Amino acid sequence: MSADALIAACRALAEAGLSPGSSGNASIRDGDRILITPTGSSLRRVTADDLAVLDAAGAHLSGPAPTKEWAMHVAAYRARPDAGAVVHLHSRAATAISCLTPPAGDDPLPAYTPYRVRMLGRVELVAYASPGSPALAEGVGAAAARSACLLLAHHGSVVCAPDIVRAVDLSEELEAAAELTLTLHGRDARTLDPATAWG
């Protein structure tokens, strides 16, 4: 994967309205290096020259200072050897859902449609920890080992995918599922059995 692909993904996420202001960050794994967006930058403005380069353990190799969430990305890659990209967003619906308390043991995004089940699988809710903190990175790493799609309590979303194009798709799918969940919240909506929802 290239820096150009990461920049194109950042633009797509911003144009979709999923990264308000200077929020959100994204990265790709390039061999034994991680290319990641910088601290304090808007996804709609970031350029290839703005990208920070880390090694697999998170050591800063070159470029500007990485996003303060860099440890969360490193933890996700460590937990998911198949991941080639990680996207973290503060999109409106996903963040709203992350502030609600799901029923004990339940997925925070109910299985309302077969596409939500097929595309996202089980979504894990990561307990709140301060942005950029080691505790948050630890929580993301533990949850990412079980699921590619996460909600961070009171914070936003994280998706892990084989490549950055797929990570953008999953981010959009997650936001759509969150919007549907908000629309149906408090209503007597029926859910599907995830085990049989998709043929």
Side-chain angles (χ1 to χ4, degrees), residues 86-99:
V86 174
V87 169
H88 165 53
L89 299 171
H90 300 173
S91 55
R92 183 176 301 168
T95 302
I97 293 297
S98 79
C99 296

Side-chain angles (χ1 to χ4, degrees), residues 65-163:
T67 171
K68 71 177 179 182
E69 303 281 23
W70 65 266
M72 180 173 70
H73 288 251
V74 171
Y77 287 122
R78 188 177 297 122
R80 300 192 72 84
D82 61 326
V86 174
V87 169
H88 165 53
L89 299 171
H90 300 173
S91 55
R92 183 176 301 168
T95 302
I97 293 297
S98 79
C99 296
L100 301 177
T101 302
D106 279 2
D107 191 311
L109 295 178
Y112 288 129
T113 72
Y115 302 97
R116 175 262 172 272
V117 173
R118 181 174 188 237
M119 302 306 291
L120 302 178
R122 178 173 175 81
V123 176
E124 292 276 339
L125 180 63
V126 179
Y128 180 77
S130 299
S133 67
L136 180 60
E138 183 179 348
V140 166
R146 301 185 296 269
S147 174
C149 298
L150 315 176
L151 288 179
L152 312 182
H154 304 278
H155 189 158
S157 65
V158 171
V159 301
C160 310
D163 57 61

Side-chain angles (χ1 to χ4, degrees), residues 4 21-22 28 31 41 55 67 78 81 83 96 98 102 117 119 123 160 162 166-167 174 182-183 188:
D4 289 344
S22 62
I28 57 173
S41 177
D55 69 14
T67 171
R78 188 177 297 122
S98 79
V117 173
M119 302 306 291
V123 176
C160 310
R166 181 68 177 141
L174 192 149
L182 284 176
T183 298
D188 189 20

Side-chain angles (χ1 to χ4, degrees), residues 5 18 150 173:
L18 300 180
L150 315 176
E173 291 277 356

